[in-house]
Amino acid sequence: APTTAGASTTAGAPTTPPASTTPGHPAERLPPGYPTGWESDVVLRDGGTVHIRPIRPGDAPAIEALHGRLSAETIYFRFFSPLTTLSPRLLERFVHVDYVDRLALVAVLGDDIIAVGRYERLPSRAAGGDEAEVAFLVDDAQQGRGLGTVLLEQLAVYAGAAGISRFVADTLPDNSRMLRVFHEAGFGDERTFADGVVRVAFPIAPTETSLALAQEREREAAARSVRRLLAPRSVAVIGASRHPETLGQRMLRSLLDTGFNGPVFPVNPQAGHVCSVRAYPTVADVPDQVDLAVVVVPAAAVPAVVEQCVRKHVGALVIISSGFADRDEDGREAERRLVAEARRNGMRLVGPNSMGVVNTDPDVRLGAAFATLPPPGHVGFIAQSGALGVVILDELTRRAVGVSSFVSTGNKADISGNDLLQYWEGDDATRVICMYLETFGNPRTFARVARRVGRHKPIVMVKSGRAGSVGPIAEGGGELPAGDVAVDALLRQTGVIRTATLEELFDVAQVLVSQPLPAGRRVAIVGSSGGPGVLAADACRAAGLEVATLSAATQARLRAEVPEVTAVADPVGLPPDARPDQLGRALEAVLADDGVDGVIALYTSLLASPVDAVAGAVDAAAATAPGK
C-alpha cells in the first residue's frame, strides 16, 4: 500500500488508506500543504508506469497545460460545454482542495500532469452514507491506458477513509469510455437517465467482484511491464567497450552471438564502432527507437545515463552496475532516486547489480547476460544473486534443462519476483517456475500471487538465510516476522516447493519439466537389486508417499511375461543380471496397473549393459503410460 512517499504498487489502488486518513481523522491532522504520504507509482494496463499524488496549489500551470492539450471532444465530455480556457477563479478552485471533503489526485508522467481524478462531497445524504460526486480528465494521448480506473480505485480508498460511502457521476450518453470505466471497476453501478445526462451511482466499499477485477488488472499490468523487458524490439548497450575483457564488451558480444532478433546499438562516447558495429556517443544519439537499455557503466555515471534514457523514451532498463544498495546507505538512497526517476517517466528497471536477462523465444533470442545461453525450454528462472545467476545458467545448460526466460534481479529495486510470477503465469512457454531469493519484496502480495499461480504451474524455490544470518527476509513494506519458520509457513500456505539447496532445485525442476504430475501418492518400485529397492521404499514412505500394492492381475502378468522376476511386490525385483528388455517388460506391466500413479526404475547389473539400451527400454515403457 502506498502509505509512504515513493512507495510503489502494481495494483491500481492502495489496500489501506494513508495514515493521515485513518477513521475519524480531522483535517488538522493533515500536514501543511498536502499529505505527502499519499504518493505511489502505478503500473498501467500497457506496462508503463505513472506517478500518482494529490494535487498541489503549484500545479496550476501544469493543469492549464493539460487543458490546452485536450481535444474539443474531451473538453465537451468533461465540462458539458466548449470550455476553451480556464478562468483564474476556476483554475484556483481546481488546485486548492482540503483533501477530505474535496480531493483531487493527479497522474504525473515526467514533468507533465496527464490525468486528474477528483471527488467532492455532496451536502445530501443517500443510501445511509455520505455521497460525493466524482469526475475524471485524461489527456487524449494517454487515454486507453487505464488511468481512469487507477484514479477511481485510489479515490474510493481515500473517500472511504473520509467517511464517504457512495460516488455519483454525471456523464454524457456518448461518453462510452467513461461509462465503461465505472462499470468495469466492479462496484456495481446503477444508471439513471434524465435531461440528456446519465447519472451513475455506486457504493465504493470493496466487493468481491471489484477486488477480483483489480487483481486481474494488476496481473495484466505486471505481465506487460515484464514483457517490455523480455521481448524488446531493439537493445542499446550503454557502456559497450572496445576492450575484450570488459563487462561492456562481453554484454554486447552476448547479444550479438546469441542472435538477438533486432538491432543492437553500442553506446560509447569514445568509440565510433564496437565489435564492428557502429557506436553512438549517447543513447539519445541513436537514430531509432530503443526498447531496452542495458547499462554497464560505473555507478557514479548511472544517474546521467538514466536521464538520457528518459529523454530518449526508452521502454525498460537493465542496470548491471553495482555500488548502490549493495554498498551502503548512501548507495541505497541513490538507488531510490534512480527508481523514482525511471517510474515517473514510464520505465521499469531490473537491478542494479544484475547480471542480465534472457529470453530464448525464437522470435526474440535475447541473450543479455554474462553466461552461456541455455537451450530453449519451459523453465522460468529468477535469481536475486548476480554471481549465482551465472552458475545457475551454466548448470541448466550442463543438464540440458531448457529455459523460457531468466532474470537476474540483483538489488530488486523495481522488478521483483511478484512481477515475474504474474508474467510467467500467462506465458505459454513457461511450465515450471524456479526462484532463488534472498528477500521477499512484499510477502502479502507474494502469498496471494504464488497461491494463484501455483495452482497451474509448479513453483520451486531456494530461499537463502535459513539461520537468519543473512540480512532481513522481507524488505520495503514487508510484514514477515524474522526467522526461517515464518518463511516455511508462508511457502507451505502458498504451495511453493522449497528445496534446501540449488542442487535439489535443479533436480526438482528437471523432474517437473520432463515428467507429468502424478495423479496420486502411489509409487511402484522396480529394481534389479534388493538394496536400492529397499532404500527407495524407505524414502517414499519418509516423503509421505505410498509404496503401491500391485493387483493380482499385474502380479500374474509379471510372472508370465518376465519369468526371471524374483519378487512381484514391495518392490518388484529382477535378478542382478537382468537384461534391459526384461526391465522394460516389467515396467510396462507395472505402469498398466490402475493402482499405480508413478514408478521408480532402478537398474544395476553385474554385466556391462549399454546405457543407451537401458535408457531406451525405460523410455519405451514410459511411452505406454504417458500420464504416469
Side-chain angles (χ1 to χ4, degrees):
T3 55
T4 58
S8 67
T9 174
T10 52
T15 55
T16 58
S20 56
T21 58
T22 50
H25 81 85
E28 58 264 28
R29 286 188 58 190
L30 296 173
Y34 77 100
T36 57
W38 293 9
E39 301 196 22
S40 62
D41 298 308
V42 177
V43 183
L44 299 177
R45 181 181 298 156
D46 61 358
T49 59
V50 69
H51 187 69
I52 306 290
R53 62 166 174 80
I55 202 166
R56 306 168 181 168
D59 287 330
I63 293 295
E64 200 166 23
L66 168 62
H67 192 272
R69 297 193 300 269
L70 299 176
S71 66
E73 181 184 59
T74 297
I75 291 174
Y76 187 73
F77 279 157
R78 170 62 181 89
F79 299 105
F80 298 3
S81 67
L83 189 66
T84 55
T85 59
L86 298 177
S87 68
R89 183 178 178 181
L90 185 58
L91 185 59
E92 182 178 5
R93 177 172 174 79
F94 280 169
V95 298
H96 287 84
V97 296
D98 64 11
Y99 306 103
V100 181
D101 294 330
R102 296 178 60 243
L103 172 66
L105 299 177
V106 296
V108 182
L109 183 63
D111 296 325
D112 296 327
I113 290 177
I114 60 172
V116 184
R118 62 179 67 244
Y119 75 73
E120 182 166 344
R121 192 190 300 265
L122 298 175
S124 63
R125 291 176 176 270
D130 283 353
E131 280 190 328
E133 186 172 8
V134 65
F136 303 92
L137 184 64
V138 180
D139 193 327
D140 287 75
Q142 304 294 334
Q143 292 178 11
R145 302 184 66 198
L147 281 162
T149 302
V150 165
L151 291 169
L152 174 60
E153 290 176 341
Q154 294 217 9
L155 286 171
V157 172
Y158 300 145
I164 294 168
S165 62
R166 186 177 172 90
F167 276 167
V168 298
D170 290 333
T171 307
L172 292 175
D174 292 341
N175 195 353
S176 57
R177 179 168 286 172
M178 199 69 251
L179 291 170
R180 189 163 57 248
V181 166
F182 291 128
H183 180 69
E184 291 180 353
F187 289 108
D189 58 306
E190 301 171 357
R191 303 183 185 186
T192 56
F193 181 78
D195 300 325
V197 174
V198 177
R199 167 152 284 204
V200 181
F202 51 91
I204 60 175
T207 66
E208 187 174 333
T209 300
S210 70
L211 291 174
L213 290 171
Q215 290 178 12
E216 177 58 21
R217 286 191 290 271
E218 173 194 36
R219 187 196 66 77
E220 290 181 0
R224 289 187 180 181
S225 67
V226 174
R227 194 172 297 116
R228 279 184 167 195
L229 172 83
L230 290 177
R233 291 164 297 181
S234 59
V235 179
V237 179
I238 304 176
S241 172
R242 300 184 71 175
H243 300 290
E245 300 306 316
T246 58
L247 294 179
Q249 181 166 131
R250 286 187 59 194
M251 178 60 71
L252 178 63
R253 284 197 175 278
S254 178
L255 283 161
L256 298 175
D257 293 346
T258 54
F260 172 64
N261 192 18
V264 179
F265 305 108
V267 174
N268 185 324
Q270 280 84 42
H273 57 85
V274 181
C275 298
S276 300
V277 180
R278 180 183 176 184
Y280 299 89
T282 72
V283 68
D285 296 311
V286 176
D288 298 333
Q289 172 63 32
V290 175
D291 287 345
L292 175 66
V294 182
V295 181
V296 197
V297 300
V302 172
V305 165
V306 172
E307 288 181 11
Q308 294 166 9
C309 291
V310 167
R311 292 197 297 271
K312 183 64 179 174
H313 302 292
V314 172
L317 301 172
V318 175
I319 300 181
I320 305 299
S321 317
S322 59
F324 291 91
D326 50 291
R327 185 189 64 193
D328 54 25
E329 191 55 40
D330 289 342
R332 187 180 300 276
E333 182 57 33
E335 184 176 289
R336 291 193 191 101
R337 291 195 296 269
L338 279 182
V339 173
E341 179 71 5
R343 286 172 173 167
R344 71 188 292 269
N345 287 283
M347 292 186 293
R348 303 294 310 267
L349 68 84
V350 166
N353 198 28
S354 167
M355 57 76 63
V357 297
V358 167
N359 184 354
T360 63
D361 184 334
D363 293 332
V364 181
R365 291 197 60 80
L366 178 67
F370 303 110
T372 304
L373 191 68
H378 303 293
V379 174
F381 211 120
I382 172 176
Q384 193 169 345
S385 165
L388 277 178
V390 176
V391 175
I392 287 167
L393 286 179
D394 287 346
E395 179 64 10
L396 290 172
T397 302
R398 188 187 70 81
R399 290 180 177 233
V401 175
V403 169
S404 58
S405 51
F406 171 91
V407 176
S408 166
T409 56
N411 293 357
K412 211 167 56 169
D414 182 20
I415 293 286
S416 69
N418 295 337
D419 296 306
L420 291 163
L421 282 175
Q422 297 188 95
Y423 168 75
W424 284 321
E425 180 180 11
D427 180 34
D428 293 337
T430 302
R431 298 177 189 170
V432 179
I433 298 168
C434 294
M435 312 180 80
Y436 169 78
L437 294 185
E438 297 170 354
T439 58
F440 288 96
N442 187 320
R444 283 190 173 185
T445 302
F446 174 83
R448 172 171 54 81
V449 172
R451 186 179 293 111
R452 184 185 72 230
V453 176
R455 294 191 185 107
H456 311 287
K457 297 184 179 183
I459 303 171
V460 191
M461 179 187 293
V462 169
K463 168 67 178 64
S464 65
R466 277 187 173 271
S469 59
V470 186
I473 59 175
E475 54 184 29
E479 301 177 14
L480 205 59
D484 199 59
V485 173
V487 176
D488 269 338
L490 174 66
L491 299 184
R492 280 198 305 272
Q493 290 170 9
T494 54
V496 173
I497 303 167
R498 185 180 189 183
T499 63
T501 66
L502 278 173
E503 185 177 12
E504 287 182 14
L505 181 142
F506 293 136
D507 289 342
V508 172
Q510 205 162 3
V511 170
L512 290 173
V513 81
S514 63
Q515 297 291 317
L517 294 176
R521 298 176 176 272
R522 302 166 300 180
V523 180
I525 301 165
V526 179
S528 59
S529 59
V534 174
L535 288 174
D538 290 343
C540 285
R541 295 186 180 102
L545 302 173
E546 302 172 13
V547 177
T549 300
L550 301 180
S551 67
T554 299
Q555 295 185 28
R557 177 179 172 180
L558 280 168
R559 292 191 181 96
E561 296 184 10
V562 194
E564 302 84 0
V565 69
T566 58
V568 292
D570 300 336
V572 173
L574 294 169
D577 60 349
R579 301 184 307 274
D581 64 292
Q582 294 169 323
L583 174 66
R585 292 198 302 274
L587 288 172
E588 287 187 26
V590 171
L591 283 165
D593 194 310
D594 291 336
V596 171
D597 299 310
V599 177
I600 297 175
L602 303 168
Y603 187 83
T604 59
S605 177
L606 299 178
L607 305 176
S609 297
V611 173
D612 288 346
V614 177
V618 174
D619 198 34
T624 66
K628 297 186 180 182

